[in-house]
Amino acid sequence: MLRKGRKVSGRGEMVAANYAFGPVEDDIIIKHRLLTRTTTTRGEPPLKKLQRKFTLFLLEVEKDEDNFNDCAKLSQALLQELSTFEIPLLKSKAVIDANLREKENFNELKDEINRQILQVQTDIEDLKKQLVESKIERQHKEECAAIRKLISAQPPRSETQKSITELEKEIAALEAENTAGSRLLELRKKQFALLLHVVDELQNTIEEEQKSLIEEMRMVTDEQKSGMEDASGSSEAIAVD
C-alpha cells in the first residue's frame, strides 16, 4: 500500500491519501471507467444503471397485465437515463473532435515549424557563404588600401620619369665612357705589345752587339798573342845566329 501526502486547496494542512491500487490496477480501473462512463468509485455506474432501467422496462412490457402507466413511467425513466447517458457521450465526442482538430493544428504547426527550421538552416548556410565572401572582399579591400598607400607614398610619375631620364643619360654617359676606356685600353695594349716587341728587338740587338764585341776582343787578343809569338821566334833566331 502506498501512502502519500497531498495538500488540500484552501487549507495549509497536509492530509494523508491512501492508494489501494498500483499503477497497473489504476490503468485498468480508469479504462473501465471510461468504457462504462463511471466517473466515481461510489454509486452505481451509469451504464449499469441504464442497463438496469432497460431491463425493468423490458420486464414490465413483457407482462400480460394492464400496466400501461407503469410502462410509460419506466419508458420515461429510460429515455431520461438515455438522455443523461448521451450528454457525456456528446461531451466526449466534442472533446474528441476538439482533440482531433487540435492534433491537426499541431501537425500543421509542426510542419510549419519544420519548414521554418529548414528555411532557417538554409538562411544560416547562405549567411555563412555571405560571411566568407564578405571576409574575402574585406581582405581584398585591405590589400587594395595597402597598395594605394604604397603608391601614394611614391613620388609623382613626372618626377619618376624625370629621374628615369636622368638615369638613362647617366647610363649612356657611362657606356660612352666605358667604350672610350675600352678603346684606350685596347690602344694601350697594342702600344705595350709594340713596346715589348721593341724591347725584345733591342735586347736581341744588344746581345748580338755584345757577342760581336766579344768576338772582336777575342780576335784582337788572338792577334796580339800571334804577334808576341812571332816576335819571340825572331829574337831566338837572331840569338842563334
Side-chain angles (χ1 to χ4, degrees):
M1 182 180 294
L2 301 175
R3 183 178 297 272
K4 295 182 180 180
R6 62 184 180 88
K7 185 175 181 180
V8 180
S9 177
R11 298 181 181 180
E13 59 183 0
M14 299 294 294
V15 297
N18 297 326
Y19 297 97
F21 305 102
V24 179
E25 290 81 1
D26 287 342
D27 293 338
I28 295 174
I29 293 172
I30 291 172
K31 184 176 180 181
H32 179 70
R33 288 179 183 177
L34 292 174
L35 292 175
T36 59
R37 307 304 303 171
T38 303
T39 57
T40 178
T41 56
R42 297 181 181 181
E44 188 176 9
L47 186 60
K48 289 185 177 180
K49 188 176 181 181
L50 179 62
Q51 183 182 4
R52 182 176 57 80
K53 288 188 178 183
F54 178 76
T55 302
L56 291 175
F57 173 72
L58 186 62
L59 292 174
E60 192 65 28
V61 169
E62 289 178 352
K63 290 180 180 179
D64 295 334
E65 301 175 357
D66 187 9
N67 54 355
F68 181 76
N69 292 330
D70 293 335
C71 289
K73 291 179 180 180
L74 292 174
S75 175
Q76 187 67 28
L78 178 60
L79 292 175
Q80 184 177 0
E81 188 63 30
L82 282 172
S83 178
T84 304
F85 190 78
E86 185 182 11
I87 291 174
L89 292 178
L90 295 175
K91 290 182 178 179
S92 297
K93 185 177 182 303
V95 171
I96 291 172
D97 293 339
N99 289 333
L100 290 176
R101 289 192 299 271
E102 187 68 21
K103 183 180 179 182
E104 292 178 357
N105 293 332
F106 175 76
N107 290 332
E108 292 178 358
L109 181 62
K110 182 180 178 181
D111 294 337
E112 180 65 20
I113 291 174
N114 290 331
R115 187 187 66 79
Q116 291 180 0
I117 290 174
L118 293 176
Q119 183 64 35
V120 170
Q121 290 177 349
T122 304
D123 294 339
I124 290 173
E125 294 298 326
D126 293 338
L127 291 174
K128 286 182 178 179
K129 293 180 181 179
Q130 292 179 6
L131 180 60
V132 173
E133 293 176 356
S134 299
K135 287 182 178 179
I136 295 173
E137 184 178 0
R138 181 179 179 182
Q139 184 178 0
H140 290 169
K141 288 182 178 179
E142 291 177 352
E143 291 176 354
C144 291
I147 293 172
R148 284 196 298 269
K149 186 176 181 181
L150 291 174
I151 293 173
S152 62
Q154 300 300 321
R157 183 180 179 86
S158 59
E159 294 182 3
T160 305
Q161 187 64 36
K162 184 177 179 181
S163 300
I164 291 173
T165 304
E166 292 178 355
L167 289 174
E168 288 177 350
K169 290 179 180 180
E170 291 180 1
I171 291 171
L174 290 174
E175 288 178 351
E177 184 178 354
N178 186 24
T179 303
S182 298
R183 291 177 181 178
L184 181 61
L185 180 62
E186 188 68 23
L187 180 60
R188 293 290 186 270
K189 285 182 179 180
K190 290 179 180 181
Q191 290 176 353
F192 186 72
L194 182 59
L195 178 62
L196 289 178
H197 180 69
V198 172
V199 170
D200 288 337
E201 291 291 333
L202 183 60
Q203 187 175 1
N204 292 330
T205 302
I206 293 171
E207 288 178 355
E208 289 178 357
E209 289 179 353
Q210 287 179 352
K211 288 180 180 180
S212 298
L213 182 61
I214 293 171
E215 184 66 24
E216 290 178 356
M217 290 177 65
R218 187 179 63 79
M219 291 176 64
V220 171
T221 303
D222 290 339
E223 290 177 355
Q224 288 178 359
K225 286 181 178 181
S226 297
M228 290 177 65
E229 288 179 355
D230 292 337
S232 297
S234 298
S235 298
E236 289 177 359
I238 294 171
V240 171
D241 291 337

